[in-house]
Amino acid sequence: MSAGNAHHGHPAATVVVTTRDRPALLHRALESVAAQTWAPLEVILADDGEEPVDVHGLGDGLLFFRVLRSHARLTAGARNLAAGEARGNWLAFLDDDDRWESDHLAGLAEAFAEPKVQVAYRDAAVVREDRQLRELERRELARDWDPEWMRHDDYIAPSAMAVRRSLFQQLGGFDEGFRYSEDWDFLLRATAHTPARRVPGVTALISIRESGNASSDRGPERRACLDRLSARHGLPPLEIKTFWQVAEALLAERRT
């Protein structure tokens, strides 16, 4: 991975990775960061698992890599911990079960080269995988920033989004009162200040498997988080959906 990209008029990035007891997926995610054509200033891993990650071999190919032990047992808390240690001008987020195409950060860097851009995102593919992580099928999450659509469906996956660190700090990061939909809540709060900049092109790959996907949870806490989200932002009643279902709805709209 090449160094020194931040010296060509582009502000530097911190990549924030969160993980929880999924070493094989984590290695795959970090390999995708190491393969980026545009090098971040640093990569900070927030380890929120029951057992500390085995750091042997982690971070290979990354210029500046740190591991922070999180005890939040909460994705929002783990992301906030890592972001609090960040030195980059902007933050790009990656969950351990997702990965990026090699030009993901390069596109975001072009967006953040414009001082007025505070929030940016890439298009994503939601990828159904089997237990061996082989791809079975994919659907795309690709849409210009649309505040009306975001009132009923979140189509920007956390691993596709990035934010300027100053705005992240101003907003207090992710709300740790949300076990679910903390990313949707953050985007709605952030875009109340500024529209999000879409950088077209599918570069974030969002993994959907038989188990281990928070978006598949349909329990009472997931319902409560959506109800709280709706009340906070004045949204209509929200359905529990996976990103796979949201991608299906986007496809159906394009066909009409």
Side-chain angles (χ1 to χ4, degrees), residues 46-58:
D47 175 19
D48 202 36
E50 298 291 338
E51 298 294 330
V53 296
D54 179 2
V55 297
H56 180 72
L58 275 185

Side-chain angles (χ1 to χ4, degrees), residues 6 10-14 38-41 87-91:
H10 294 79
T14 294
W38 190 92
L41 174 69
R87 296 176 297 139
N89 303 97
W90 55 279
L91 311 172

